Amino acid sequence: MPDHKIPQVTAKRLPLYYRYLEKLHAIGKQRVSSADLSDALQIDPATIRRDFSYLGELGKKGYGYNVTYLLQFLRDFLKQDEVTNVVLVGVGNLGTALLRYNFYRSHNTKIVAGFDQDPAKIGTDVDGIPVYSLDRLQEVIQLHHVEVAILTVPVNAAQSTADFLVKAGIRGILNFTPARLIAPAHVRIHNIDLTIELQTLIYFLKNFPDGEEEM
Ligand code: ATP
């Protein structure tokens, strides 16, 4: 894949190219020139050539572009740009901080909703991200195609909440609780225990102040 950073104006035109190439593909057309694309889409040919040049070596001079190849290429390229929607359960101190942390700015990941059992929190929002009761989990994850959940409930609620998430269709859990969760094999769990990480760091500083570790 070429460099992912392409100008925004180009990125906006890619779906237009994609749709038109799908049409060409459907009628069995195998090649298309930038002039043909230009006529059909009302974008000048130089712009089209420049757009495509950001994507890498896609066409030969005088030959035009191979429709199937270009279509596949754009499909993969646009997929990279898809946003992965995530939910968070347990809108306490840590949960709220993570909702406020804008994952989306630097990565294509977005927390679409928070969930909590506290009636005082249900129906509120954190920086525009709504907080719902877990009754609405299924509906929200279906609507936003969510497969990943961040878990920031208290440790004693961790396993039952994880079970509930798995039942609803969640396949990945980022577990911030100290609980070691049990889940079916198809579910991936990543553990981030901030307390342990901090304690481990302090332990190493105290016991190996010069940086060398015992083998
Ligand atoms: P706070 O001060 O807001 O309570 P906290 O991080 O100290 O934050 P915790 O006791 O760790 O609070 O709980 C984190 C959040 O998880 C709270 O908002 C709590 O209401 C919520 N919570 C607790 N049990 C559940 C549960 N079973 N399902 C969903 N959310 C829960």
Side-chain angles (χ1 to χ4, degrees), residues 22-209:
E22 262 189 328
K23 275 191 205 157
L24 293 181
H25 191 252
I27 58 168
K29 206 155 186 289
Q30 287 172 6
R31 275 189 225 173
V32 65
S33 64
S34 37
D36 293 340
L37 282 170
S38 168
D39 283 347
L41 299 172
Q42 296 295 299
I43 301 169
D44 88 272
T47 303
I48 294 177
R49 278 195 294 273
R50 198 178 52 242
D51 283 349
F52 286 2
S53 73
Y54 291 119
L55 305 176
E57 286 294 318
L58 291 177
K60 288 194 208 103
K61 223 175 163 52
Y63 173 91
Y65 302 97
N66 177 305
V67 172
T68 311
Y69 178 77
L70 195 52
L71 195 58
Q72 185 59 49
F73 187 91
L74 285 174
R75 188 177 292 145
D76 292 345
F77 196 86
L78 291 168
K79 222 185 261 164
Q80 289 187 81
D81 260 3
E82 261 174 25
V83 172
T84 304
N85 291 329
V86 172
V87 294
L88 178 142
V89 186
V91 189
N93 290 309
L94 182 58
T96 302
L98 291 171
L99 288 181
R100 292 218 164 103
Y101 179 75
N102 193 349
F103 289 97
Y104 187 57
R105 204 174 333 167
S106 45
H107 306 98
N108 292 338
T109 314
K110 187 178 170 193
I111 304 181
V112 289
F115 292 87
D116 207 286
Q117 65 170 17
D118 182 351
K121 294 178 180 171
I122 295 165
T124 63
D125 72 274
V126 177
D127 284 359
I129 301 171
V131 180
Y132 299 123
S133 145
L134 275 166
D135 301 346
R136 298 192 58 188
L137 180 75
Q138 186 96 50
E139 167 201 335
V140 171
I141 70 174
Q142 271 171 11
L143 180 68
H144 295 283
H145 308 289
V146 176
E147 292 188 318
V148 173
I150 300 173
L151 193 60
T152 46
V153 294
V155 63
N156 59 6
Q159 186 62 55
S160 58
T161 308
D163 293 344
F164 189 77
L165 290 170
V166 170
K167 226 182 244 162
I170 289 294
R171 298 197 310 123
I173 297 176
L174 190 59
N175 174 30
F176 278 92
T177 81
R180 287 300 155 255
L181 301 171
I182 298 163
H186 74 276
V187 178
R188 208 181 164 92
I189 296 174
H190 282 209
N191 299 303
I192 302 181
D193 187 327
L194 294 174
T195 310
I196 287 191
E197 295 299 331
L198 193 56
Q199 280 169 350
T200 308
L201 173 65
I202 293 165
Y203 172 85
F204 276 98
L205 285 185
K206 273 194 188 140
N207 292 282
F208 307 102

